[in-house]
Amino acid sequence: GAVVSQHPSRVICKSGTSVKIECRSLDFQATTMFWYRQFPKKSLMLMATSNEGSKATYEQGVEKDKFLINHASLTLSTLTVTSAHPEDSSFYICSARERTSPRGNEQFFGPGTRLTVL
Amino acid sequence: GENVEQHPSTLSVQEGDSAVIKCTYSDSASNYFPWYKQELGKGPQLIIDIRSNVGEKKDQRIAVTLNKTAKHFSLHITETQPEDSAVYFCAAGSSGSARQLTFGSGTQLTVLP
């Protein structure tokens, strides 16, 4: 149980284009999903917290117009990198917290999406 | 906000030996401390966690200890195997509304055969 998928696993795009990354909880309902960014050999940096049916909460320094987050259902959140530039190249990881879990802090991570902007 | 420090950044051990990774946290409100294992090119996987109402938890070769007074917690891996080689992250979280996790900087563990 508690499986989180991400799609695509890898994406290469041209500078100026937009890229959408999907995060799905496959066997549970996720009240909250988190989006992280990870640079090579670095830790996970929280970008935003996404609650189903409401606007995402962005961390300081993260541009909400650049990184659009939609949490349309209890099993799906999307991150859209708009007008991507080479500096947006990174490993993007989502995690999900189970709605009904009595141990509410547990986060289950997706496999990540490697974005390369040429 | 919470600040989590993790040491060492790299750790090499011989197969069969034990490995210990230590973390400290700053926010006394934190009450949930998970450990994640991340293999190259993959997302983190939860390997063990501990809550502030216990001091130690064990799952086969993996154990975690927590000292709330000193605000530190440690991961212990015994009888290490080459497949234990990965990056390990500690994290701290609380029961606040956001229930976010703050991650340590990671430890690259290499188990030498």
Side-chain angles (χ1 to χ4, degrees), chain B residues 22-102:
Chain B
K22 298 181 178 181
C23 288
T24 60
Y25 62 99
S26 61
D27 189 350
S28 56
S30 291
N31 56 10
Y32 174 64
F33 307 94
W35 286 89
Y36 290 89
K37 176 183 180 182
Q38 186 178 28
E39 297 177 342
L40 192 62
K42 297 184 179 180
Q45 280 191 309
L46 178 68
I47 56 172
I48 196 167
D49 58 12
I50 192 168
R51 295 174 192 276
S52 58
N53 56 346
V54 297
E56 184 174 357
K57 183 176 178 181
K58 190 174 182 180
D59 182 4
Q60 299 183 347
R61 296 186 298 110
I62 295 173
V64 57
T65 58
L66 171 66
N67 184 327
K68 280 193 66 180
T69 304
K71 295 196 186 73
H72 65 71
F73 56 112
S74 301
L75 177 71
H76 303 253
I77 306 174
T78 59
E79 301 172 28
T80 53
Q81 302 165 3
E83 50 266 37
D84 294 329
S85 296
V87 178
Y88 290 81
F89 290 99
C90 64
S94 68
S95 300
S97 58
R99 293 182 176 172
Q100 295 172 349
L101 294 175
T102 302

Side-chain angles (χ1 to χ4, degrees), chain A residues 38 43 49 97 103 105 107, chain B residues 32 36 38 49 94 100 104:
Chain A
Q38 187 177 34
S43 189
T49 302
R97 199 176 75 219
R103 310 175 66 192
N105 293 93
Q107 290 186 28
Chain B
Y32 174 64
Y36 290 89
Q38 186 178 28
D49 58 12
S94 68
Q100 295 172 349

